Amino acid sequence: MKSNKVVLIRHGQSIWNELNKFTGWYDATLSENGKNEAKSAAILLKKNKFSFDYAYTSVLKRAIYTLRYILDELNQNWILVKKSWCLNERHYGALEGLNKDEVIKKYGEKQVLLWRRSFNIIPPKIDIQDKRFPGNDLRYSNLNISDIPLGESLEMTSKRVIPYWKTVIYPQLKNNKKILIVAHGNSLRALIQYLNNITNKDIIKLNIPTAVPIVLEFNQNNSLIQWYYLK
């Protein structure tokens, strides 16, 4: 039985990933290693004969550039690409820009794991006077200020990712379109949790590596059958 497939990819390593910093909505560019990771992901997709009708990404350039490298390698730069803040990484609030090891030393490994991987624990928030507040960024100028996060849990991230999946992406899947989504560790975790009914307790175990294609297979009724990393 033929199945429909959606491919998810977390962006390649960014400069802040390389520096072991909490990145969140900070617009870090790809590191050299990240560029190579994106190209390797594209080569793997090409080897497995993947092609796409639509691509979706966030408004953060580490995801946008990863997608560009992939489409360039696949010679599919011409396909329709939609960008949305709904696919952004979770906002790490006051942790954004801090070194993860230093935060662990200050707060303890258990607390930091909860901030990073749990479903409903929110990291310390910033306020709107903070230079890290996204409301100062032109790309979010069309949003209501109340919709711009000061810090997010995975649960809060899900509340923007899942509606975007349901209203924008899923209808294309139902139309048998081949879809590529290049986003971030937590926006993709939110989507995988939703599609697989992963419990809030078990989601803490899921960590998505950079630039490794994840294949979601759906049956003819557009229900998820399985998901796996492409090798």
Side-chain angles (χ1 to χ4, degrees):
M1 184 182 295
K2 189 175 180 181
S3 62
N4 293 331
K5 296 177 181 177
V6 174
V7 175
L8 312 179
I9 300 179
R10 181 185 173 192
H11 60 82
Q13 182 194 60
S14 73
I15 289 174
W16 272 27
N17 292 146
E18 193 173 40
L19 294 173
N20 200 31
K21 290 185 175 185
F22 285 97
T23 308
W25 283 31
Y26 177 77
D27 205 14
T29 193
L30 293 175
S31 65
E32 285 304 312
N33 183 54
K35 295 173 186 177
N36 292 330
E37 285 181 333
K39 293 171 186 176
S40 294
I43 290 168
L44 186 57
L45 290 169
K46 195 173 186 178
K47 176 184 173 184
N48 286 272
K49 302 187 182 336
F50 277 88
S51 62
F52 302 99
D53 299 305
Y54 292 100
Y56 300 87
T57 189
S58 72
V59 296
L60 298 169
K61 59 189 171 189
R62 58 190 185 274
I64 294 169
Y65 289 2
T66 297
L67 177 58
R68 286 179 184 172
Y69 281 116
I70 291 169
L71 294 182
D72 190 50
E73 180 66 34
L74 295 177
N75 194 28
Q76 283 204 277
N77 307 77
W78 48 269
I79 71 169
L80 181 65
V81 175
K82 290 189 175 182
K83 305 180 184 75
S84 174
W85 73 278
C86 295
L87 295 176
N88 276 15
E89 178 59 289
R90 64 183 287 198
H91 194 293
Y92 271 108
L95 300 181
E96 199 165 283
L98 301 182
N99 180 276
K100 292 174 185 175
D101 290 337
E102 291 175 3
V103 174
I104 288 171
K105 286 179 184 177
K106 184 174 181 179
Y107 294 101
E109 192 168 343
K110 183 178 180 180
Q111 179 62 64
V112 175
L113 179 64
L114 290 173
W115 281 333
R116 295 185 66 194
R117 301 274 181 259
S118 69
F119 181 69
N120 56 7
I121 307 266
I122 305 170
K125 291 185 177 183
I126 57 172
D127 61 52
I128 61 172
Q129 305 303 322
D130 195 300
K131 64 181 180 181
R132 294 169 291 182
F133 176 56
N136 300 319
D137 192 318
L138 185 61
R139 80 192 82 187
Y140 307 115
S141 59
N142 63 325
L143 300 181
N144 293 325
I145 196 166
S146 59
D147 292 329
I148 299 175
L150 304 173
E152 293 179 298
S153 62
L154 182 63
E155 180 180 25
M156 295 165 72
T157 307
S158 296
K159 288 179 179 178
R160 53 180 167 82
V161 173
I162 304 312
Y164 189 77
W165 164 263
K166 288 180 176 178
T167 60
V168 178
I169 303 176
Y170 186 66
Q172 297 303 332
L173 174 66
K174 290 172 69 176
N175 287 331
N176 297 314
K177 300 301 182 182
K178 293 172 285 186
I179 294 166
L180 171 62
I181 303 172
V182 179
H184 304 265
N186 283 293
S187 50
L188 295 180
R189 286 175 75 232
L191 182 57
I192 290 172
Q193 180 184 23
Y194 166 73
L195 293 173
N196 287 277
N197 295 312
I198 298 173
T199 67
N200 296 344
K201 181 180 178 181
D202 287 340
I203 194 61
I204 199 168
K205 303 171 188 173
L206 179 61
N207 178 36
I208 297 176
T210 52
V212 179
I214 299 169
V215 181
L216 308 178
E217 288 194 10
F218 296 81
N219 62 22
Q220 291 181 325
N221 295 320
N222 300 304
S223 296
L224 186 66
I225 305 169
Q226 62 174 337
W227 69 281
Y228 54 88
Y229 291 101
L230 192 65
K231 297 180 180 179

